[in-house]
Amino acid sequence: MVRRHGGPAARRRSPFFNTVLTFVAIFLLYLAVPNIGPVVRAARADGIGGRFTARQLECIQHPGHESCTWMGDFRSADGTVRKTDVAMYGSSRESLRTGQETPAVDVGRPRQVYGPGGSMEWVFTGLLLLIGVAIPVYLYGGPLRRALTGRGAPGTPGDAGRPEPRESEPVR
C-alpha cells in the first residue's frame, strides 16, 4: 500500500503528546478567560476616573535592562474610592516623580490602575486565548470534522459504501 505524505498514518501523534498539549491549552485558557473583562475595560479606560499619586518607584534589574513601575495611591474624582499601594500600569522611571499626581482610571483590578489612554494589555491576553483555543482545534478538529461529516477511516461506520483501496492502487 502506498502512503502519501501527510496522510492519516503520517499525522498520528502519541497520546502522551496530545494529553500534554491539551493540559497546556487548559492552562492557557485558565489564565486568559478570567482576564477578558478587566483587559477590555483597561483597553477602553472604562472605569472610575480619579488621580494617582506616585509614592515609590520599584525597579527590577535584568541583564541588559531595567523594568520600573510607580507605586502609589489612587483616589476617585468624587472621593468615594481610595486605594493605597497600587501600581500605575505602564509607568516608568521617567514618567513620574515622587508626590506627583496624574489622571488615572480604576478598572476593578485590586493592585493596579491605568492611565486615561487605556492599555495594550489585551494583546497578550488575546494571544493566550487564541493559542488556548487553537491547540484543541489542531488536536481534535480534524477527527471531529471527519466524524461529523461521516468521512471516517476505511472500514469504519462513517465510511459506508466506499470500497477499500487495493494494495496495488495508490491512495488518492
Side-chain angles (χ1 to χ4, degrees):
M1 177 166 116
V2 177
R3 289 188 185 156
R4 54 188 171 139
H5 182 69
R11 283 190 230 144
R12 288 203 181 104
R13 291 175 295 274
S14 77
F16 177 75
F17 179 75
N18 288 353
T19 302
V20 169
L21 278 182
T22 300
F23 279 111
V24 167
I26 290 168
F27 180 68
L28 293 176
L29 292 171
Y30 170 78
L31 294 175
V33 170
N35 287 310
I36 293 172
V39 298
V40 168
R41 286 192 304 275
R44 298 173 53 204
D46 182 18
I48 301 169
R51 308 282 296 168
F52 173 82
T53 304
R55 299 283 179 221
Q56 179 181 350
L57 182 65
E58 291 186 359
C59 297
I60 298 173
Q61 297 284 333
H62 300 285
H65 116 287
E66 175 184 67
S67 177
C68 296
T69 301
W70 279 97
M71 302 297 292
D73 305 323
F74 173 81
R75 185 184 71 252
S76 65
D78 64 4
T80 58
V81 177
R82 290 180 177 268
K83 291 184 173 187
T84 59
D85 200 30
V86 294
M88 178 65 159
Y89 179 85
S91 61
S92 66
R93 178 182 293 278
E94 297 81 25
S95 63
L96 297 168
R97 292 181 313 278
T98 302
Q100 183 179 350
E101 285 191 3
T102 187
V105 178
D106 176 15
V107 299
R109 296 244 168 142
R111 310 273 299 146
Q112 197 163 326
V113 294
Y114 296 82
S119 81
M120 296 296 289
E121 191 176 19
W122 65 270
V123 173
F124 183 69
T125 301
L127 285 173
L128 288 178
L129 190 61
L130 180 66
I131 294 168
V133 169
I135 289 172
V137 167
Y138 169 74
L139 292 176
Y140 308 111
L144 181 61
R145 192 171 27 260
R146 283 190 297 276
L148 292 174
T149 60
R151 292 195 284 148
T156 61
D159 193 46
R162 201 174 319 145
E164 289 190 33
R166 292 186 214 147
E167 291 211 15
S168 61
E169 293 180 344
V171 176
R172 296 182 191 167

